[in-house]
Amino acid sequence: MEIMLYLAIILLATKLLGDLFVRLGQPAVLGKLLAGILIGPAVLGWIHPNEFISIFSEIGVLLLMFMAGLETDLEQLRKNWKSAFAVAVGGIILPFIGGYGAASVFGLSNNQGLFLGLLLCATSVSISVQTLKEMDRLNTKEGTTILGAAVVDDVIVVVLLAVMMSLLGTGHDISLGLLIGKKLLFFVVAIVVGWLAVPWFLKLFAPLRVTEAVISGALIVCFALSYFADLMGVAAIIGAFAAGIAVSQTPFKHDVEDRLEPVAYSIFVPVFFVSIGLNITFEGAANQLLFMGVITVVAVLTKLLGGGLGAKLTGFNGRSSLAIGSGMISRGEVALIIAATGLESGLLQQKYFTSVVIVVILTTLITPPLLKMFFSGEKKRGNQASKENG
């Protein structure tokens, strides 16, 4: 019965703090993230990370990315693939250099510096997706560029991680050809399944004389592609995003969107937001304040400038470029997974692990207000231009 109490506390905290932050002019998601810190081990200690939270949050982030796929304009995504690639590459090169340089300053070994640089290359746009949805900017040119860049970033970082683990002799021998082959296989299967199998499957599944057959069919597609993505070494959220795009190309798009959103946002997505804050603990953090401060600044600026430069070089104006760069800042669950891998392999020292987790969460907290600032500025600039032309 403890689960019921956890859910009651999580839902109450996320809704109240989400509303408070909207009244303060900030995205609701920022309040929901802070709710996790408030009710978690860092402050009140009412809720601690456990298997129930982990499972619910995983479902929550998959549903969040699935709905992002549902709302994505595929034509816009195709048009912006060059920008997405440039943003991803810029958002990998600068963080890698910055992370390695910062590690050298703090006396970390060469291998540990390389690993920290790689960790800062990671991007998780699940929080950016929610913020853009709240601002109704997910389906803009900037929004689709951020989504496309996140897919490219994930593939490159996972391949680099495998290469690093192999070259530094901290893991099993890994065939680079097999690794890249698995990634390519995922995208080929995702495209073929999305184009041919998903419309056929939903068309057959929809007439079943059971309740909510269409929604169930869409969720089957979402979870199956997420599992396959994870199996192929691609982040499960990329599989969920691909599933959303596939379903969006069918006549069932609006039905699935209208019925699934209330379920996701009433229970699963709030647990995901809270789970991020639950990972924060300030135990021993006082001794690492300078390290955390420097790495956080490096993490934010290198993604902002690296991603922004990629956008600028492919035709975006300055404000839009910074908006896109800010959408890539959150490291989220992708970086947490990499950090855990580094701890296990010895490339990330135990004494720095908590600090790195806090840095990852700080990047996630910083992202929503930055997105709002740059996108709001872009909107005002557009409105001013319209008035002048009018």
Side-chain angles (χ1 to χ4, degrees):
M1 295 306 290
E2 191 181 50
I3 291 173
M4 306 305 160
L5 179 61
Y6 275 12
L7 280 176
I9 293 171
I10 288 170
L11 296 180
L12 182 64
T14 52
K15 298 308 176 186
L16 289 179
L17 280 175
D19 177 73
L20 173 63
F21 273 75
V22 170
R23 292 174 189 272
L24 294 173
Q26 292 298 322
V29 66
L30 182 56
K32 295 171 184 176
L33 290 169
L34 290 173
I37 298 173
L38 180 64
I39 63 179
V43 182
L44 297 174
W46 291 347
I47 296 178
H48 293 265
N50 58 32
E51 190 178 1
F52 154 71
I53 296 287
S54 176
I55 292 170
F56 261 57
S57 65
E58 181 68 17
I59 295 171
V61 72
L62 292 180
L63 292 180
L64 187 62
M65 294 305 293
F66 177 69
M67 288 186 293
L70 273 177
E71 296 175 25
T72 296
D73 184 337
L74 198 55
E75 189 56 37
Q76 183 84 281
L77 198 60
R78 283 196 199 102
K79 285 179 185 174
N80 295 332
W81 74 268
K82 287 181 183 176
S83 295
F85 187 81
V87 168
V89 171
I92 284 175
I93 293 173
L94 280 192
F96 187 82
I97 294 170
Y100 179 78
S104 301
V105 169
F106 284 98
L108 274 67
S109 70
N110 188 54
N111 287 357
Q112 290 167 346
L114 289 171
F115 181 80
L116 185 62
L118 179 64
L119 189 144
L120 295 190
C121 295
T123 285
S124 175
V125 294
S126 48
I127 299 302
S128 299
V129 162
Q130 176 59 23
T131 308
L132 292 172
K133 275 170 68 73
E134 288 180 23
M135 295 189 297
D136 197 26
R137 303 304 293 267
L138 184 61
N139 221 11
T140 60
K141 189 178 178 184
E142 292 85 357
T144 50
T145 298
I146 290 170
L147 286 167
V151 174
V152 177
D153 185 287
D154 177 71
V155 173
I156 294 175
V157 167
V158 170
V159 170
L160 287 176
L161 176 65
V163 171
M164 185 174 290
M165 301 298 277
S166 179
L167 291 178
L168 300 182
T170 55
H172 303 294
D173 290 333
I174 300 169
S175 164
L176 189 59
L178 178 62
L179 194 77
I180 295 173
K182 285 169 72 177
K183 307 287 177 295
L184 290 174
L185 178 62
F186 165 75
F187 287 105
V188 169
V189 170
I191 290 168
V192 172
V193 166
W195 180 34
L196 299 174
V198 171
W200 170 81
F201 172 70
L202 289 180
K203 193 175 178 182
L204 283 181
F205 209 81
L208 295 182
R209 287 178 287 183
V210 290
T211 55
E212 304 297 354
V214 173
I215 307 302
S216 298
L219 287 174
I220 290 168
V221 173
C222 172
F223 294 139
L225 264 179
S226 299
Y227 174 76
F228 181 63
D230 189 59
L231 202 63
M232 294 294 105
V234 179
I237 57 174
I238 302 299
F241 179 63
I245 289 178
V247 174
S248 76
Q249 304 306 301
T250 71
F252 305 104
K253 171 185 174 176
H254 296 296
D255 195 21
V256 171
E257 200 175 337
D258 293 342
R259 291 170 183 246
L260 186 58
E261 194 163 307
V263 176
Y265 280 96
S266 63
I267 186 164
F268 293 105
V269 175
V271 176
F272 163 63
F273 292 142
V274 164
S275 72
I276 295 172
L278 294 183
N279 286 303
I280 278 199
T281 171
F282 298 121
E283 231 176 278
N287 301 324
Q288 301 282 337
L289 286 178
L290 182 61
F291 177 81
M292 283 189 288
V294 171
I295 300 301
T296 300
V297 170
V298 169
V300 172
L301 288 181
T302 53
K303 272 290 183 185
L304 181 66
L305 298 176
L309 182 62
K312 184 71 174 171
L313 291 174
T314 50
F316 285 93
N317 65 40
R319 193 95 190 184
S320 289
S321 298
L322 289 173
I324 290 168
S326 65
M328 303 295 289
I329 288 172
S330 173
R331 300 325 198 263
E333 68 282 356
V334 177
L336 292 175
I337 292 167
I338 294 175
T341 305
L343 183 66
E344 188 181 337
S345 64
L347 287 173
L348 181 62
Q349 291 175 272
Q350 178 68 51
K351 68 176 182 177
Y352 290 120
F353 181 72
T354 299
S355 300
V356 166
V357 169
I358 292 175
V359 169
V360 169
I361 293 169
L362 287 174
T363 64
T364 304
L365 292 172
I366 289 165
T367 298
L370 279 181
L371 273 171
K372 175 142 190 178
M373 181 176 73
F374 289 124
F375 271 104
S376 295
E378 180 64 20
K379 195 172 182 181
K380 284 175 189 171
R381 198 183 65 81
N383 290 343
Q384 184 62 33
S386 297
K387 284 178 186 175
E388 289 170 3
N389 291 335

